[in-house]
Amino acid sequence: MSNYNLTLLTDLYELTMMQGYFKAGNRDVAIFDAFYRENPCGGAYAISAGLEQLIDYIEHLSFSKEDIDYLRELNIFGEDFLEYLSAFQFSGDIYAIPEGSIIFPREPLVKVVAPIMEAQLVETALLNIINHQSLIATKASRVCYAANGDGVMEFGLRRAQGPDSGTFGARAAVIGGCIGTSNVLTGKLFDVPVLGTHAHSWIMSFPNEYRAFKTYAELYPNACTLLVDTYDTLHSGVPNAIRVFTEMREQGIELKHYGIRMDSGDLAYLSKKARAMLDEAGFEDAVISASNDLDEYLIQSLKIQGAAINSWGVGTHLITAKDNPSFGGVYKLAAIQGKDGKFVPKIKLSENSEKVTNPCDKTVYRIYDKETGKIKGDLICLVDEQYDLSKELKLFDPNEPWKKTILPGGSYTMKELLVPVIKNGKSVYQSPPVMEIREYCNREKETLWDESRRLVNPQKIHVDLSQKLYDIKNELLNRA
């Protein structure tokens, strides 16, 4: 597939609303927040991802002649509006939480400040990009947590929902903690390690299993992982692998990056038996890799059973986030600039309390316990609010405000999460390489308490409102 223009990667109603603003002469600057309401997979956190692709989308946002011709054929857009679109360029500002960051519900992940027509247009693509990659990065983080330090390889391309999902999903999986991917295109585009062994068809194409292993070892002596479950794992596969490893050693070939892979059967039982056979033959450092529809729960279960597996290949359940296939990010209007230049707060009401939005021009601070470096909570506040770390900080649950926490002065630190990435339509942010984002993400995960990383019934992190923002929100609710 060739590169293609993403400008029309939008819902029709974004364009019809744009024309409405255009016809009404509405050029007001608006603030929109992109956020999500509930952590995926029943977890206590998520991982932000997709920012590099969002920036690229914004910088290349323009309507081609073919785009304008197509929109004209729909017979719903006026020529004056189409003429406006033909010269369209995004001119606003965008702030975002960097990729690889720990994120929580209800806090702005991306904030768009732009003329309302421009801010409206980018909604759909922004959510499409951020939602997908953040979901897969989060799923990968959970899988890697279950692996408890073992290497996890992403190899779900053939099961992904299309080329883009497979390619950018693999990118996100590496950000979330995977050591590499089987997807060669992802490796080329984002300079991440590509990994893999061979298929059962390789074994079956030879007269016997030994000859298949021997040929593969001669081709790839420094990356020799042999798939041992084509015929009989313990009575054929592992013995033949041991025979090949022994011959390599006798020939003076240094054995490194070698081992076996199993893709079927009782992985706990087979891996323990295979480990004993390899150790007895003197191959204590041989890796035992496993695949076969793995996810974080199965990996954790195998760990509990004492499986002798120290490398994991995870495909379908990771690249599709099978148990939670959507991230649920939304994009809501928070304020509109008045004639005096000040932003007028806007709020969306709902009978569902979780759908009531937070108004105003906001930013987000992360609060850390100074002694441990662990996250105490996040604070959504007005952009002009300042905090003195030497003074006590009162936090309260905005939904149950009688629940309060007082942090003594000097016991905590704070970091602002939103950073400028687009100013006046141009990028002011250099996205790090994916492997650097991965390392940053690993450091971010260390700021979580162990109780918030567990897979089942984790301890949730509080996301609170500042007193000023809380008061404005209540005033708008009461007025409504």
Side-chain angles (χ1 to χ4, degrees):
M1 298 174 66
S2 61
N3 293 329
Y4 51 92
N5 180 2
L6 297 182
T7 300
L8 292 186
L9 184 69
T10 189
D11 294 305
L12 179 63
Y13 82 163
E14 311 287 17
L15 291 166
T16 56
M17 283 189 288
M18 281 184 75
Q19 178 167 246
Y21 295 136
F22 179 84
K23 295 290 188 181
N26 187 342
R27 306 295 189 270
D28 293 339
V29 173
I31 297 176
F32 282 82
D33 295 328
F35 59 95
Y36 71 102
R37 296 189 179 107
E38 186 175 348
N39 288 312
C41 307
Y45 70 94
I47 302 291
S48 63
L51 181 57
E52 180 180 355
Q53 285 65 53
L54 173 59
I55 292 171
D56 184 71
Y57 159 75
I58 293 293
E59 288 196 300
H60 293 88
L61 190 57
S62 63
F63 290 83
S64 67
K65 181 180 182 301
E66 291 77 14
D67 294 337
I68 299 299
D69 289 343
Y70 169 73
L71 293 177
R72 180 179 290 111
E73 291 171 1
L74 297 179
N75 295 317
I76 56 176
F77 299 111
E79 283 300 319
D80 53 350
F81 178 62
L82 294 175
E83 184 178 351
Y84 162 77
L85 291 182
S86 67
F88 180 89
Q89 282 187 313
F90 185 82
S91 65
D93 302 337
I94 296 179
Y95 302 80
I97 297 178
E99 291 190 271
S101 297
I102 297 293
I103 51 177
F104 302 115
R106 298 180 300 280
E107 60 192 21
L109 313 181
V110 181
K111 180 173 75 171
V112 176
V113 186
I116 195 165
M117 283 190 290
E118 300 178 23
Q120 197 74 70
L121 174 63
V122 303
E123 173 184 6
T124 302
L126 182 156
L127 290 175
N128 175 273
I129 293 167
I130 298 297
N131 279 345
H132 174 246
Q133 289 202 48
S134 296
L135 174 67
I136 303 304
T138 304
K139 185 67 172 179
S141 176
R142 291 171 58 82
V143 171
C144 292
Y145 174 76
N148 195 30
D150 296 340
V152 176
M153 180 183 75
E154 183 284 319
F155 73 136
L157 177 59
R158 63 190 62 188
R159 302 284 177 80
Q161 287 100 337
D164 283 355
S165 177
T167 300
F168 293 112
R171 175 187 186 274
V174 173
I175 287 174
C178 291
I179 61 173
T181 176
S182 66
N183 188 330
V184 180
L185 180 57
T186 297
K188 175 190 174 186
L189 292 175
F190 304 112
D191 193 25
V192 301
V194 287
L195 306 165
T197 56
H198 57 78
H200 295 103
S201 58
W202 170 266
I203 309 295
M204 296 161 64
S205 69
F206 284 81
N208 57 63
E209 190 175 53
Y210 164 73
R211 179 49 55 192
F213 286 174
K214 182 71 172 177
T215 303
Y216 191 85
E218 290 171 348
L219 283 169
Y220 309 107
N222 296 320
C224 185
T225 300
L226 303 175
L227 182 59
V228 297
D229 70 331
T230 303
Y231 302 119
D232 189 310
T233 299
L234 298 181
H235 295 96
S236 174
V238 176
N240 277 320
I242 289 173
R243 179 182 174 185
V244 170
F245 296 152
T246 301
E247 292 172 354
M248 293 173 71
R249 187 165 58 188
E250 290 172 347
Q251 294 169 17
I253 298 173
E254 182 183 0
L255 292 171
K256 53 183 180 180
H257 307 299
Y258 79 108
I260 63 171
R261 176 167 77 92
M262 297 177 293
D263 190 50
S264 62
D266 187 328
L267 297 177
Y269 172 79
L270 293 173
S271 66
K272 286 184 278 189
K273 291 293 186 181
R275 180 79 275 161
M277 295 166 69
L278 289 164
D279 290 353
E280 184 179 357
F283 301 108
E284 294 89 351
D285 59 342
V287 169
I288 298 181
S289 178
S291 49
N292 189 24
D293 284 338
L294 299 172
D295 63 10
E296 64 267 44
Y297 301 106
L298 182 51
I299 291 173
Q300 190 172 73
S301 175
L302 288 166
K303 286 279 191 180
I304 293 171
Q305 296 171 63
I309 299 164
N310 50 13
S311 177
W312 307 86
V314 187
T316 304
H317 290 268
L318 171 53
I319 201 65
T320 64
K322 190 172 181 179
D323 61 331
N324 194 130
S326 65
F327 191 68
V330 296
Y331 185 83
K332 299 299 180 183
L333 179 66
I336 293 181
Q337 194 172 47
K339 298 187 184 302
D340 59 359
K342 296 180 179 179
F343 281 102
V344 179
K346 298 291 181 178
I347 190 169
K348 174 188 176 294
L349 302 183
S350 173
E351 291 186 4
N352 299 326
S353 60
E354 69 275 8
K355 290 193 172 185
V356 176
T357 60
N358 291 318
C360 302
D361 186 5
K362 303 177 294 295
T363 190
V364 185
Y365 283 97
R366 178 145 298 156
I367 305 164
Y368 301 92
D369 179 74
K370 192 172 184 178
E371 182 178 351
T372 64
K374 302 294 187 181
I375 298 173
K376 296 290 289 184
D378 280 5
L379 183 65
I380 307 174
C381 62
L382 305 178
V383 290
D384 57 358
E385 290 192 67
Q386 301 292 322
Y387 294 91
D388 184 346
L389 303 187
S390 67
K391 296 182 179 179
E392 71 175 24
L393 179 65
K394 182 177 75 171
L395 302 175
F396 62 93
D397 186 328
N399 296 317
E400 299 174 303
W402 58 89
K403 296 181 179 179
K404 297 180 175 67
T405 298
I406 302 294
L407 301 180
S411 70
Y412 63 93
T413 62
M414 299 178 73
K415 179 178 77 172
E416 188 171 7
L417 299 185
L418 289 170
V419 299
V421 296
I422 298 286
K423 297 293 287 184
N424 300 318
K426 304 297 182 185
S427 174
V428 295
Y429 180 82
Q430 181 62 49
S431 292
V434 169
M435 296 307 288
E436 287 186 19
I437 300 174
R438 177 182 181 273
E439 291 306 310
Y440 168 72
C441 184
N442 284 338
R443 294 193 301 271
E444 279 280 282
K445 286 183 280 188
E446 290 302 313
T447 66
L448 286 166
W449 302 89
D450 291 340
E451 294 82 356
S452 294
R453 297 192 69 182
R454 62 184 178 231
L455 301 180
V456 178
N457 194 27
Q459 177 64 40
K460 299 296 177 67
I461 304 292
H462 294 292
V463 177
D464 299 326
L465 305 184
S466 71
Q467 187 66 57
K468 288 184 178 179
L469 178 56
Y470 178 79
D471 290 343
I472 293 173
K473 183 175 182 178
N474 271 336
E475 181 184 346
L476 293 175
L477 290 172
N478 291 330
R479 189 186 305 166

